[in-house]
Amino acid sequence: VFQGRVLARRVVGQETRYEVEVTAPYRHRVPLVPREYVWVPNTCGCPPLRVGGEYLLMARQHVNHERTLSRILLRDDGYARPWTPREDRLVREAAPHC
């Protein structure tokens, strides 16, 4: 779970790749760097992320079968909400319970 600003969007094959500036990591098992690529396994724009927008994202690490590629995957039914101070407060309050 992290807060990020979408810097760019690009369709690659049957997937969409977002370049995201990580502004606040909340809970993560995989180390995040200041800029990450977040992959969505479709090209329909679901979930709808706008370039320049700030979001609270709950994504998963995806490792291929050969274990040669690791990436951040945001499924089309994943949690992606526009960032607000309220979302920030809710995530921080839930952190001790997760």
Side-chain angles (χ1 to χ4, degrees), residues 45-98:
C46 304
L49 302 178
R50 180 180 49 84
V51 173
E54 289 196 43
Y55 297 91
L56 183 64
L57 302 168
M58 186 184 320
R60 296 178 178 252
Q61 178 186 24
H62 176 260
V63 180
N64 68 350
H65 294 293
E66 294 84 20
R67 300 203 178 280
T68 58
L69 178 65
S70 175
R71 60 189 187 161
I72 297 173
L73 182 67
L74 178 64
R75 297 187 316 205
D76 53 356
D77 63 346
Y79 189 85
R81 300 287 187 266
W83 183 89
T84 63
R86 179 180 179 274
E87 290 284 343
D88 180 59
R89 181 178 48 82
L90 291 173
V91 171
R92 290 188 191 279
E93 287 174 358
H97 307 290
C98 296

Side-chain angles (χ1 to χ4, degrees), residues 4 9 18 20 23 25 27 29 32 35 39 68 72 79 94:
R9 175 182 185 264
Y18 292 95
V20 177
T23 54
R27 182 151 177 98
R29 293 187 178 124
L32 296 172
R35 286 202 178 173
W39 293 84
T68 58
I72 297 173
Y79 189 85

